[in-house]
Amino acid sequence: MSLQNYSIKVTEFIIGGFDTTKNPLLVGVVILIVYIVAVLIDIVNILVIMYKKNLHKPMYLLICNLAAVDLLYSSSASPTIIEVLVTGVKTISYVPCLLQMFAFHLGQVMEMFALSVMAFDRLIAVSCPFQYHSYLTNTRIIVLTYILWIVACAFVALVPATVIRLPHCYSVIKYNFCSYAAVIRTTCVDPNYYFNLVASIVFFLSFFTFGFICLSYVGIIYFAKLSSHNEKKKIGSTCLSHLIVVTCYYLPLFIITILTRFGMVLTVEERNGLNIGTILIPCLVNPFVYCLRTKEIKNEIIKMFKKVQTSQ
């Protein structure tokens, strides 16, 4: 008999992904500290770029967009994870769960788009340094950013749209927040079709964006060979920041969404750990990388703190 005959009306889900976690309070406090630090440094990055006119340039606007994406991405699931671990409250209502799912996957897709555009920005800067500001104006970057957000929303809208119409047989989520995979497993249908559907979309987006980034770096390496020694050092320093960010994001993403479709088996604990790492590590690393390795932003932050100290 079909499981759909035993479907239930779900008004809230129970998050059971941390049921076997040892020292949940300690883990929750660590995640809380990492989350607070990531959010604060992202906000500082955004405010510095917004209020300093000398930073109103394409590259810094893209860094500002990445910080906004990181805020969305980290805030989509971290508060729920922290609440479960620290307070022990494991329930989340149905609609907030779907909203969390949408926000999480929107942040996931926008992270890909943001990193791809930043790679393209570096390619133009290296290949056409004298025409850079005529090719990539602030207006064009802002318009492109808006378009990417709209396209990302259109892609991600498929995620809750496929879930809403499905009957639910379970109210317990085996993972640590409301991701697509977690919610689909609570339904009465065979999840493999839906996993393969989303894996196909993620495969297309991740390999398209990652391939675009790789091609951009092929172009950067080619043009860097034609540059002087000092220019090579400057190019290497700028691109290293981006490569660190790309690696931190794409490595766990490929493991979770792609390799598991090709036979890699992850335990619930391993998947949960990778999910948390996928969310928090890039969101923590990104702002620090761009604060510490981007001279202009670092100098403006230092000036800002010096003014605060002198005013006191």
Side-chain angles (χ1 to χ4, degrees):
M1 187 178 290
S2 174
L3 281 174
Q4 296 190 27
N5 294 330
Y6 298 99
S7 65
I8 58 175
K9 182 175 175 59
V10 175
T11 57
E12 64 180 20
F13 290 104
I14 300 168
I15 298 173
F18 294 110
D19 288 349
T20 59
T21 302
K22 297 178 181 178
N23 300 319
L25 181 60
L26 176 62
V27 175
V29 170
V30 171
I31 293 173
L32 175 62
I33 293 169
V34 172
Y35 173 64
I36 290 173
V37 171
V39 167
L40 288 177
I41 198 69
D42 274 322
I43 291 172
V44 168
N45 251 350
I46 291 170
L47 292 177
V48 167
I49 293 169
M50 282 178 61
Y51 288 103
K52 295 297 179 179
K53 290 186 177 180
N54 61 310
L55 296 180
H56 290 183
K57 299 174 184 177
M59 184 179 82
Y60 302 111
L61 293 179
L62 292 174
I63 292 174
C64 185
N65 178 61
L66 181 65
V69 172
D70 287 339
L71 277 176
L72 170 68
Y73 196 28
S74 60
S75 299
S76 63
S78 296
T80 299
I81 292 170
I82 292 164
E83 183 182 28
V84 172
L85 290 169
V86 175
T87 69
V89 177
K90 298 182 179 181
T91 57
I92 181 170
S93 299
Y94 183 78
V95 174
C97 183
L98 293 184
L99 291 175
Q100 182 180 88
M101 185 200 311
F102 179 82
F104 168 71
H105 291 294
L106 177 60
Q108 205 172 40
V109 173
M110 274 308 302
E111 196 87 19
M112 298 182 203
F113 286 170
L115 293 175
S116 300
V117 175
M118 292 175 82
F120 180 69
D121 169 77
R122 292 300 82 207
L123 175 62
I124 298 298
V126 172
S127 60
C128 311
F130 299 110
Q131 294 84 22
Y132 173 77
H133 290 291
S134 60
Y135 289 161
L136 293 181
T137 62
N138 288 349
T139 302
R140 287 175 180 173
I141 289 295
I142 291 170
V143 170
L144 177 60
T145 301
Y146 276 123
I147 291 171
L148 290 177
W149 277 96
I150 292 169
V151 171
C153 285
F155 269 111
V156 177
L158 296 171
V159 174
T162 58
V163 172
I164 289 173
R165 61 187 180 84
L166 298 177
H168 293 271
C169 284
Y170 314 98
S171 61
V172 177
I173 289 177
K174 294 182 180 180
Y175 300 150
N176 40 24
F177 61 93
C178 294
S179 64
Y180 180 78
V183 177
I184 280 292
R185 286 190 182 278
T186 67
T187 64
C188 305
V189 299
D190 180 4
N192 286 322
Y193 167 77
Y194 296 93
F195 287 163
N196 290 333
L197 175 66
V198 170
S200 299
I201 295 172
V202 173
F203 183 88
F204 169 75
L205 288 174
S206 57
F207 273 86
F208 173 77
T209 53
F210 186 71
F212 183 82
I213 291 169
C214 291
L215 288 175
S216 297
Y217 272 96
V218 169
I220 288 169
I221 292 168
Y222 171 77
F223 286 106
K225 288 181 179 180
L226 306 177
S227 306
S228 65
H229 179 68
N230 289 335
E231 287 176 337
K232 285 179 182 177
K233 287 180 66 176
K234 186 177 179 181
I235 292 168
S237 177
T238 305
C239 292
L240 181 60
S241 302
H242 186 255
L243 282 173
I244 292 171
V245 171
V246 168
T247 303
C248 288
Y249 176 71
Y250 276 96
L251 184 60
L253 177 68
F254 282 144
I255 293 173
I256 291 175
T257 59
I258 306 301
L259 294 184
T260 53
R261 291 290 91 197
F262 288 97
M264 177 181 279
V265 178
L266 297 175
T267 64
V268 173
E269 290 79 10
E270 289 170 343
R271 183 179 286 274
N272 286 341
L274 276 173
N275 272 330
I276 294 172
T278 303
I279 297 167
L280 288 180
I281 292 175
C283 298
L284 181 65
V285 170
N286 294 357
F288 274 110
V289 164
Y290 283 110
C291 278
L292 297 176
R293 296 193 61 84
T294 306
K295 184 179 178 182
E296 290 81 358
I297 295 178
K298 183 170 67 175
N299 289 343
E300 290 297 342
I301 292 174
I302 292 171
K303 287 178 186 177
M304 184 177 69
F305 280 109
K306 283 182 178 178
K307 283 183 180 179
V308 172
Q309 287 178 347
T310 53
S311 63
Q312 291 176 348

